Amino acid sequence: MKSRANGYVFALAAIVIFAIQDGISKHLGTLYPPVLVSMIRYWAFAAFAVALAARAQGGLKATIVTKRPVLQVLRGVLLPTQIVVVITAFTVVGLAHSQAILAATPLFVALLSMPLLGERVGWRRWAAISAGLIGVLLILRPQQGTFDTSFLLPLSAALMFAIYIITTRLVSRADSAMTSFFYTGIIGAVAISLVGPFFWTALAPTDWVWMLLLCVTGTSSHYFLIRAYDMLDAVAVQPLTYLQLVFASIMGVTIFGETLTTNMILGSILVVAAGIFTVWREHVVARRKAGLPPQ
C-alpha cells in the first residue's frame, strides 16, 4: 500500500513538473528558435539517460546491446522532432489549445495499433475513439468559418508521439526498457545536434537561468515518471497525466493571457474521458489475454 501511495506521489510530481516545463518551453520558444531550445534540453536528457544506463544492471555494456537498431534510431530521431513541433505549437497555437489536442494521443495510439501492431480493437474502444475524435473536431472547430492551419502543429505532434509509442511497443518485444531509454537520449541528442547549431542564437544571461530550469525539469520529470511506473500500472498513471491539461490551461490563461473557448472545454472533456476509457480497456484486454483476473 505504501508503495502504491509513493507511486501516486511520484506521478503527481512528474505531471506538475511537466506542466512547469511546458510553460518554460513556451517562454523560451517565443524568444529563441524551438530547435535551439530543444537541442540544449536534449543534451541534458542524453546525459541523464547515460547516467541511468551506467547504474542499470550490467552497466552501459549491457544497455547498448539492441536487437532492433533500426527501430531504435527511428524512435531516437522521432522524439526530438516531435518536441520541436510541440514547442512551436505552444508559441503559435497556445499552451492550453495545444495540450487539449495532445491529450488525444492515446486515441491515435489505439487507431495505429491495428495496422502497425496487428491488434484488434473491439466495439467499446471504437466507441471511445469515435467520441474522442469528435472532441478533437470540437477543439479544432473554426471560430470565423475558416480553419486555422496552425492547429495542424499540435495535431501533427500528437500523431508523431503516437507513432513513437507504437515503435516503443514494437521494440520492447526485443529490447529492455533501459536500452530503449538510453537510445532515445543518445540518438535524439545526436540527431538534433546535427541541425540545432544552424539555429544558434546567443541567449541572454537571464534566459540561461530559464534554460537551466528547463533542463532540470526535463530530467526530473522523466525520473519521477519512471519511478511512478515502477510502482503503478499504466492504467493507474494515465488518468493522472490529464491533469497536465488542467495545469496548462491555468498557466495559459493566468500567465500567457490565453482564452479558453466553450468548444475547447467541451472537446477536452470528451477527449480526456475517451482517452481514460481507451487505456482502461486496453488494460482489461491485456489481462484477459494473459489469463489474469480483472482488477
Side-chain angles (χ1 to χ4, degrees):
M1 184 65 70
K2 183 178 179 181
S3 177
R4 285 186 62 84
N6 289 339
Y8 283 113
V9 170
F10 281 125
L12 287 171
I15 292 158
V16 171
I17 296 171
F18 272 126
I20 295 171
Q21 174 185 305
D22 290 344
I24 298 172
S25 295
K26 177 177 170 64
H27 166 70
L28 290 173
T30 58
L31 301 173
Y32 305 99
V35 177
L36 173 64
V37 176
S38 301
M39 180 179 70
I40 298 175
R41 167 183 163 181
Y42 229 95
W43 288 344
F45 178 55
F48 176 60
V50 172
L52 276 187
R55 295 182 59 187
Q57 186 175 5
L60 284 172
K61 187 176 180 180
T63 302
I64 62 175
V65 177
T66 173
K67 297 177 182 178
R68 306 295 297 271
V70 175
L71 272 180
Q72 292 290 12
V73 170
L74 175 61
R75 291 177 61 257
V77 173
L78 191 58
L79 188 58
T81 305
Q82 191 262 355
I83 290 173
V84 172
V85 176
V86 165
I87 295 177
T88 306
F90 288 163
T91 61
V92 176
V93 177
L95 204 56
H97 265 87
S98 294
Q99 283 293 356
I101 297 170
L102 290 169
T105 298
L107 305 177
F108 295 139
V109 171
L111 280 172
L112 292 173
S113 66
M114 291 182 288
L116 298 181
L117 294 178
E119 294 182 1
R120 180 180 174 275
V121 175
W123 69 269
R124 295 177 182 85
R125 275 187 284 175
W126 267 120
I129 291 170
S130 300
L133 293 179
I134 291 172
V136 173
L137 291 176
L138 274 174
I139 297 169
L140 298 176
R141 183 180 176 185
Q143 297 297 311
Q144 305 297 331
T146 57
F147 178 72
D148 188 350
T149 55
S150 65
F151 278 10
L152 292 175
L153 284 168
L155 193 60
S156 299
L159 286 169
M160 290 170 66
F161 196 62
I163 295 172
Y164 170 80
I165 293 173
I166 292 291
T167 54
T168 299
R169 288 185 181 180
L170 280 171
V171 83
S172 68
R173 297 173 179 176
D175 291 345
S176 69
M178 191 66 253
T179 295
S180 293
F181 189 73
F182 173 79
Y183 278 103
T184 301
I186 297 302
I187 298 296
V190 171
I192 199 166
S193 294
L194 295 175
V195 180
F198 294 102
F199 295 86
W200 187 267
T201 304
L203 273 68
T206 53
D207 289 329
W208 274 113
V209 176
W210 286 112
M211 186 64 75
L212 177 62
L213 284 173
L214 181 62
C215 293
V216 170
T217 54
T219 54
S220 59
S221 58
H222 278 92
Y223 173 76
F224 286 136
L225 195 60
I226 289 169
R227 292 298 307 274
Y229 277 116
D230 283 341
M231 302 174 185
L232 298 171
D233 292 332
V235 72
V237 176
Q238 183 63 41
L240 296 176
T241 62
Y242 288 113
L243 288 172
Q244 191 173 345
L245 171 57
V246 177
F247 296 147
S249 299
I250 293 171
M251 283 195 299
V253 172
T254 59
I255 298 176
F256 298 105
E258 297 176 10
T259 302
L260 304 183
T261 64
T262 303
N263 283 350
M264 183 214 150
I265 295 171
L266 293 177
S268 297
I269 292 171
L270 269 177
V271 168
V272 169
I276 290 174
F277 180 83
T278 300
V279 172
W280 173 79
R281 189 60 193 170
E282 287 178 356
H283 173 73
V284 170
V285 172
R287 289 185 65 84
R288 183 185 299 158
K289 288 181 178 178
L292 299 172
Q295 287 183 332

